[in-house]
Amino acid sequence: MIRRILVLGCALSGVILASCAGADGDQPPIGDAVNELPIFDAHIHYKEPAWAPYPVESIIELMDRNGVAMGLVSSTPDEGTIKLWEFAPNRVVPELRPYHGSAGSSNWAKVDGMEEYLEARLERYPHEGIGEFHIHRLDITDVKFFRAVVAMARERDIYLHVHSGTESIRWLKSLDGEVKIIWAHAGLSTPAPEVHALMAEFPDLLADTSLREWDIDGGGRGLDPTWERIIFDFQDRLMVGSDTWVNSQWDNYDAIIASNRSWLSKLPRDVAEKIAYRNAERVFGRQISMDQIGTR
């Protein structure tokens, strides 16, 4: 079944993908051995409301307990990311979230001084991405500002981590086809066929699958066939994530990581490894292993 879906997915995509050519759909699922894999959590926030109930040492303890060797962290405000990175630089890939003060997800692109703020933080700290940021409604009158944001990313060869629908991803790519993007939540509410179409359209587009575990795992019934096709066709461009955007996500961190391991367990080992951590190794130039557990 997996093999048939893989071949069909490659044919329907209309392009020849390296991931299609290299995947072996005849391999058995990794099963319980998935628990031996380190996880790279590609969507962590350490926001100010979490600082008191979840001090930095407790965040690393949560990661340790769940085999999360490393994570991509952005925060509101950015100081949260820096706190966690300074405490455990071996475990954190920092990225710069624009939100601070009165600048939030709905207005950040229109706040006076935002361009200067981003430039200053990028100069001061080793952020490897800009985001996660939201484009709730695309406003093309913001084009000058977004050209500047794209230029910051291109100059530093770092990613934009974008929470949006398909229209905004296409628009950002129209500003600069070479800009590197991680699509947050693989579009979140974007239907799976549209996710596949966008990933096929832009062969360098990455996505994190945070908050889509239920969709991928077919509501607990097994891998959803459309998501299975996405996973096999684009196995080199997906990463798991938790999205700790509110404290209840930290409260449920064990269950969130377990749900990711659940659907990864249904994949062949080589595919599960890519999505769990090997893609992140390539993308961020890191070595990721269980040996990092218990370290900072």
Side-chain angles (χ1 to χ4, degrees):
M1 178 65 173
I2 289 175
R3 181 66 175 174
R4 183 183 66 79
I5 290 170
L6 170 62
V7 174
L8 178 61
C10 293
L12 291 178
S13 67
V15 293
I16 297 174
L17 297 170
S19 58
C20 292
D24 181 2
D26 295 326
Q27 295 180 45
I30 187 172
D32 289 344
V34 74
N35 295 309
E36 302 167 4
L37 301 184
I39 293 288
F40 182 92
D41 185 338
H43 198 128
I44 294 176
H45 300 301
Y46 187 47
K47 297 169 69 174
E48 189 168 8
W51 298 353
Y54 283 99
V56 288
E57 58 270 20
S58 71
I59 299 297
I60 302 304
E61 288 169 1
L62 274 174
M63 293 170 67
D64 286 346
R65 189 165 75 208
N66 288 283
V68 177
M70 191 177 292
L72 181 64
V73 181
S74 67
S75 305
T76 307
D78 186 48
E79 282 77 9
T81 296
I82 302 309
K83 284 175 183 283
L84 201 56
W85 169 70
E86 289 180 337
F87 179 75
N90 190 42
R91 308 292 294 280
V92 171
V93 177
E95 61 177 350
L96 174 58
R97 199 173 209 197
Y99 310 157
H100 67 285
S102 62
S105 67
S106 62
N107 70 333
W108 71 277
K110 298 183 183 297
V111 170
D112 289 342
M114 179 58 71
E115 185 176 337
E116 292 76 14
Y117 171 82
L118 294 175
E119 287 277 12
R121 300 295 291 189
L122 290 170
E123 287 300 315
R124 185 173 180 183
Y125 298 107
H127 294 96
E128 298 186 36
I130 302 172
E132 175 219 16
F133 61 74
H134 295 67
I135 304 179
H136 291 299
R137 290 186 178 180
L138 181 59
D139 184 351
I140 60 173
T141 65
D142 292 329
V143 64
K144 182 179 178 181
F145 171 75
F146 275 101
R147 285 193 188 278
V149 173
V150 166
M152 291 179 209
R154 290 277 278 125
E155 179 184 353
R156 295 167 175 83
D157 193 29
I158 61 177
Y159 283 84
L160 300 183
H161 197 171
V162 186
H163 180 135
S164 76
T166 58
E167 180 187 17
S168 296
I169 299 296
R170 289 190 174 98
W171 183 70
L172 289 169
K173 278 292 194 178
S174 77
L175 301 183
D176 188 329
E178 300 300 313
V179 67
K180 301 194 299 186
I181 295 175
I182 301 171
W183 193 18
H185 318 293
L188 191 57
S189 58
T190 301
E194 294 180 30
V195 173
H196 190 283
L198 193 71
M199 298 289 287
E201 182 177 349
F202 298 105
D204 62 345
L205 179 64
L206 308 181
D208 79 64
T209 62
S210 59
L211 302 185
R212 305 223 69 165
E213 300 88 356
W214 187 250
D215 297 334
I216 294 170
D217 214 9
R221 296 182 299 275
L223 287 177
D224 174 84
T226 311
W227 273 103
E228 190 172 29
R229 179 183 168 207
I230 292 168
I231 289 164
F232 277 92
D233 282 5
F234 310 117
Q235 60 190 265
D236 297 312
R237 297 194 269 138
L238 300 173
M239 298 178 286
V240 297
S242 62
D243 192 13
T244 51
W245 67 286
V246 290
N247 285 359
S248 60
Q249 292 291 94
W250 285 120
D251 298 342
N252 294 321
Y253 195 72
D254 295 355
I256 292 168
I257 299 303
S259 69
N260 279 291
R261 290 192 187 274
S262 174
W263 67 263
L264 289 173
S265 73
K266 299 174 175 67
L267 304 175
R269 174 178 281 274
D270 64 336
V271 180
E273 286 182 348
K274 289 177 183 180
I275 299 171
Y277 72 100
R278 290 198 185 279
N279 290 340
E281 284 188 321
R282 184 189 73 250
V283 168
F284 296 109
R286 300 297 206 281
Q287 289 190 332
I288 301 171
S289 76
M290 283 294 199
D291 291 342
Q292 289 162 286
I293 303 302
T295 74
R296 289 168 47 188

